Amino acid sequence: MKRKLRTIFILFFLCQAGFSQNIEHDVVVNPEQQIQEIEKIKTQILNARDLNDTESEKLLISQLHKNYEQLQSNNYVALSATNELSFQVLPFDSKDLTWKIIVTSQLFDSSSLFNQIVDLPWEAIHGTKLAKIDKMTPKEYADYASHVILYDKMLMDENPNITLRLIYQISPWNDASEYRFFPVTLEVLRTDYNNQVIFSLQKEDFNSASFNVYPQVEIRTFAQIEKERSQNEKILSKELSLYNKKHPSAANTKLPEQSYKKLDKINTEKNPVIQKGRSTVTLNFSDYETTQQLENFTGSNIGLDNINVMLSIGFGKFFFLEADVGGQVKDISTNQFLINIGAGLGACVNIANIFRPFILISEDYVTSENLITRFSAGLDLMIGKIFIITANYGFNMDLSIPAFDANKNFFDNFTQVHSFSVGLGFNYK
């Protein structure tokens, strides 16, 4: 509600001010909504890429470009009347014949985007140029001194007779979700003269500044980032040249933020590797109940007669929980059907978005009344961002519950066996 009232107030103020300055484009109250929409579209583009939805990605990129064009084509306004700008007027300087106005801002949650000292000349307030003080007659000097007292009071009062209006532009900038703030015009208006503009500064009097929006979202390739950085350096170089030309005493000084951040930490791949816990659903074929004891192992006897559905839930960068349920026909002649169910904990590493080796420790119960502790190592071959082919080897400790003998050494109750599995599935996030 406060934002709506502020917007209405600003629009009313602009109408009352008879805003007729030579501004190229329309003046918009606030760009924050446009920036939020841009960041939302960027997030949607990343989601479309994760799903390999190229059609949606193209439409979203086209929409993003239109939003960027609109953001950059508009001029925006900030007013002291709405506390986006604040100012303090110092007493009249008889040497420079000006009032110094210290201007600060509160824009985009930052107090450092716009800070300016304005030298407001005598003629802007009085309307006529001031004669040299040392050549004034006593009467002229008395008039001058009385006017200084009057104007000091008028400008330094709690409710001064001036207000400020800043016109600025916004452009996307170097880093992810970084934007550049470009001041265009700062105007001083007399409120007691129907908001008449009595003095103004232009863009060559200002330095631009950057701000970030969080969370930062990057959708560009390394090549695009480099190209845009190069273009932005040219913009800043031109800005510096104009500033030094108008302010020769400041020549050869650098504007703030001229050097951009180095790209040491930016991944050069088009599809950067995202390390996260394994989140998959797979259909596996294994020799779950026909595993061979280690001393009798022969690879040619492997039979993939067990079907398993496995669900992995990733957490953190490397870890995942896994649950599985499966079954097989143990003896076709008697139609004995066995079911296995289990859970485990594992860790994985993403290599180049293609290979994902993993390890897993799990515990399974089989309806043949066996408990199997499995130590597994596997590899996912990732096809695109969704589909995977997986293979797994397990070293297992098989315990027959009915045959458990409490009088034995505990570990003598376990049979050591191999197991193998292959499967197909997909990543779901």
Side-chain angles (χ1 to χ4, degrees):
M1 186 65 185
K2 287 182 179 178
R3 185 181 289 270
K4 288 183 178 178
L5 288 173
R6 190 178 76 171
T7 302
I8 293 169
F9 177 82
I10 293 172
L11 292 173
F12 175 77
F13 178 88
L14 291 175
C15 293
Q16 291 296 309
F19 188 66
S20 59
Q21 303 302 306
N22 294 323
I23 299 296
E24 292 180 12
H25 310 290
D26 294 336
V27 173
V28 178
V29 173
N30 198 308
E32 288 182 11
Q33 262 188 327
Q34 289 174 283
I35 291 173
Q36 288 171 6
E37 181 63 22
I38 284 170
E39 295 301 312
K40 178 182 174 183
I41 293 171
K42 285 163 63 179
T43 301
Q44 291 172 343
I45 289 171
L46 290 183
N47 291 337
R49 286 178 182 173
D50 285 339
L51 297 172
N52 281 338
D53 188 350
T54 54
E55 200 62 37
S56 294
E57 183 182 346
K58 287 179 182 177
L59 291 172
L60 287 165
I61 289 175
S62 175
Q63 186 180 346
L64 180 66
H65 288 160
K66 289 178 182 176
N67 281 48
Y68 273 139
E69 287 173 7
Q70 184 180 3
L71 177 73
Q72 296 177 85
S73 66
N74 287 327
N75 285 283
Y76 304 93
V77 62
L79 304 169
S80 61
T82 56
N83 297 323
E84 293 164 298
L85 299 179
S86 300
F87 67 91
Q88 178 187 1
V89 183
L90 302 182
F92 185 71
D93 186 335
S94 58
K95 182 180 178 181
D96 294 334
L97 305 180
T98 61
W99 287 270
K100 291 194 182 298
I101 305 175
I102 302 172
V103 185
T104 56
S105 66
Q106 187 61 49
L107 296 161
F108 305 100
D109 297 322
S110 173
S111 59
S112 61
L113 288 184
F114 186 78
N115 296 287
Q116 190 77 23
I117 295 178
V118 179
D119 291 321
L120 183 66
W122 171 274
E123 55 265 29
I125 294 295
H126 189 268
T128 60
K129 193 170 183 179
L130 185 67
K132 288 186 178 181
I133 295 175
D134 57 356
K135 293 185 178 181
M136 290 181 180
T137 65
K139 183 180 182 306
E140 287 174 337
Y141 186 83
D143 285 342
Y144 155 74
S146 64
H147 277 105
V148 168
I149 295 170
L150 174 67
Y151 294 145
D152 274 356
K153 184 178 185 307
M154 182 182 76
L155 296 173
M156 298 167 63
D157 189 67
E158 187 176 342
N159 296 303
N161 286 14
I162 61 169
T163 187
L164 303 184
R165 176 169 62 201
L166 173 66
I167 308 301
Y168 63 93
Q169 294 176 337
I170 298 293
S171 289
W173 209 242
N174 292 327
D175 292 332
S177 303
E178 182 184 19
Y179 295 86
R180 194 78 176 177
F181 171 88
F182 290 98
V184 177
T185 306
L186 178 66
E187 299 169 326
V188 181
L189 298 84
R190 279 282 294 264
T191 56
D192 56 340
Y193 286 1
N194 196 30
N195 290 317
Q196 178 184 339
V197 177
I198 60 171
F199 186 74
S200 65
L201 296 177
Q202 305 305 316
K203 62 183 179 181
E204 55 267 24
D205 295 302
F206 308 121
N207 300 336
S208 61
S210 295
F211 63 96
N212 291 303
V213 176
Y214 298 96
Q216 292 180 276
V217 181
E218 184 60 88
I219 64 166
R220 300 168 297 173
T221 63
F222 178 83
Q224 289 172 325
I225 294 172
E226 280 286 81
K227 181 180 177 182
E228 290 175 20
R229 285 178 182 274
S230 177
Q231 292 170 343
N232 292 340
E233 281 293 299
K234 291 177 183 177
I235 292 171
L236 290 186
S237 178
K238 183 178 179 181
E239 177 186 305
L240 179 60
S241 176
L242 289 172
Y243 184 86
N244 286 337
K245 186 175 181 180
K246 187 165 182 178
H247 304 273
S249 60
N252 302 319
T253 61
K254 289 186 178 181
L255 293 177
E257 303 177 52
Q258 286 298 304
S259 298
Y260 56 73
K261 297 176 183 177
K262 292 184 179 180
L263 300 177
D264 296 341
K265 295 184 179 180
I266 296 180
N267 201 299
T268 58
E269 297 174 350
K270 185 175 180 180
N271 296 314
V273 174
I274 299 175
Q275 176 60 52
K276 59 183 179 181
R278 185 174 184 255
S279 297
T280 61
V281 176
T282 57
L283 180 65
N284 287 18
F285 299 88
S286 69
D287 61 341
Y288 205 94
E289 272 297 298
T290 57
T291 51
Q292 301 169 71
Q293 294 186 29
L294 300 184
E295 61 271 20
N296 299 324
F297 171 70
T298 304
S300 60
N301 291 336
I302 296 173
L304 303 179
D305 55 356
N306 177 273
I307 300 177
N308 248 35
V309 176
M310 308 189 80
L311 170 67
S312 298
I313 302 172
F315 64 94
K317 279 192 169 185
F318 302 99
F319 301 103
F320 63 94
L321 297 172
E322 184 156 287
D324 69 275
V325 60
Q328 73 175 81
V329 175
K330 173 72 172 177
D331 186 337
I332 296 177
S333 62
T334 60
N335 205 28
Q336 181 186 0
F337 190 77
L338 298 180
I339 296 174
N340 57 272
I341 185 169
L345 173 67
C348 66
V349 177
N350 184 354
I351 302 175
N353 287 332
I354 300 174
F355 302 105
R356 183 169 55 202
F358 62 89
I359 57 174
L360 174 69
I361 180 170
S362 59
E363 190 72 28
D364 288 83
Y365 172 74
V366 187
T367 52
S368 59
E369 296 191 80
N370 284 54
L371 283 176
I372 300 179
T373 303
R374 183 188 301 273
F375 301 92
S376 303
L379 178 68
D380 293 334
L381 175 63
M382 292 182 279
I383 304 170
K385 292 187 177 181
I386 298 180
F387 300 104
I388 61 171
I389 297 173
T390 185
N392 178 291
Y393 160 76
F395 172 82
N396 310 309
M397 304 290 289
D398 191 345
L399 174 66
S400 174
I401 297 173
F404 181 82
D405 187 347
N407 295 318
K408 280 186 178 181
N409 182 298
F410 177 77
F411 291 101
D412 289 341
N413 287 285
F414 291 87
T415 303
Q416 299 176 356
V417 292
H418 291 285
S419 67
F420 295 89
S421 70
V422 293
L424 299 170
F426 59 89
N427 298 306
Y428 61 84
K429 68 175 182 178

